[in-house]
């Protein structure tokens, strides 16, 4: 199934609802969306950690990524953060890298096992929303599984 030219504008409320539905046990909440990224908090061991997820898109190179950096008012030993991130990601799908206490998620690599390919025109934070403009999306898993519209109308 192919989808072309679709846009999503997600607010912090939209993202929090998605998190609650998809991962109800995860202690994560989005607190704001600013031009520099999606800001939120999550529980890590015994600390509440503030994070910023910065969307990145270079359509000429076909790169779509999210870089997540975190900070805590009380210092957490960097080695503990690095080790915990690497341990958490050891069984993760390809496309997730731990780089100097931050995570970089390569979206196409994560979607590849799901047989989803997409071309993104824009992936950014604007005016309190996460904006995703997709120019082309191919959902290979759904090929042949949906009824053809032409056959139903005959």
């Amino acid at each position: 199934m192919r989808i072309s030219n679709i846009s999503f504008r997600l607010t912090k409320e939209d993202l929090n609802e998605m998190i609650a539905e998809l991962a109800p046990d995860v202690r994560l909440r989005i607190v704001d969306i600013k031009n520099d990224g999606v800001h939120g908090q999550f529980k890590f061991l015994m600390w509440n950690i503030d994070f910023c997820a910065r969307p990145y898109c270079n359509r000429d190179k076909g790169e779509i990524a999210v870089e997540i950096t975190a900070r805590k008012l009380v210092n957490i030993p960097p080695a503990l953060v690095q080790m915990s991130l690497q341990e958490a990601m050891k069984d993760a799908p390809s496309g997730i890298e731990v780089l100097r206490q931050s995570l970089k998620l390569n979206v196409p690599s994560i979607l590849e096992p799901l047989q989803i390919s997409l071309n993104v025109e824009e992936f950014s934070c604007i005016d309190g929303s996460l904006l995703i403009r997709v120019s082309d999306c191919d959902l290979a898993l759904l090929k042949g599984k949906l009824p053809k519209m032409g056959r139903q109308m005959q």
Side-chain angles (χ1 to χ4, degrees):
M1 176 165 142
R2 176 169 249 106
I3 300 170
S4 299
N5 299 317
I6 188 165
S7 296
F8 301 94
R9 186 176 286 271
L10 303 169
T11 65
K12 71 177 183 179
E13 291 81 11
D14 297 331
L15 293 173
N16 283 323
E17 282 181 30
M18 291 171 73
I19 292 166
E21 286 182 31
L22 298 173
D25 297 333
V26 175
R27 295 181 188 168
L28 172 79
R29 71 183 175 103
I30 306 302
V31 295
D32 200 3
I33 300 176
K34 299 179 181 177
N35 289 347
D36 69 335
V38 176
H39 295 261
Q41 293 181 334
F42 68 96
K43 184 89 169 176
F44 176 72
L45 301 175
M46 64 184 131
W47 298 286
N48 287 318
I49 309 291
D50 295 329
F51 70 88
C52 180
R54 291 175 186 84
Y56 170 79
C57 176
N58 183 335
R59 63 182 169 173
D60 295 333
K61 293 182 178 179
E63 295 176 343
I64 310 157
V66 178
E67 184 176 351
I68 303 169
T69 54
R71 63 180 168 81
K72 175 72 180 117
L73 296 178
V74 175
N75 284 337
I76 301 171
L80 177 64
V81 174
Q82 185 78 12
M83 183 180 69
S84 296
L85 286 173
Q86 287 176 335
E87 181 66 25
M89 295 297 109
K90 73 178 182 183
D91 296 325
S94 64
I96 301 177
E97 301 173 56
V98 178
L99 304 168
R100 295 187 195 149
Q101 301 175 38
S102 68
L103 292 177
K104 184 174 182 180
L105 309 176
N106 183 306
V107 178
S109 296
I110 294 169
L111 295 177
E112 186 178 343
L114 302 173
Q115 298 180 13
I116 298 172
S117 66
L118 50 95
N119 293 321
V120 175
E121 290 292 316
E122 186 172 357
F123 187 38
S124 61
C125 294
I126 300 173
D127 300 326
S129 297
L130 176 63
L131 178 62
I132 307 164
R133 272 194 1 215
V134 177
S135 61
D136 185 51
C137 179
D138 187 11
L139 305 171
L141 281 175
L142 297 178
K143 280 185 181 173
K145 294 185 180 180
L146 295 176
K148 298 231 187 245
M149 296 302 277
R151 289 183 188 163
Q152 288 181 344
M153 298 210 174
Q154 291 176 346

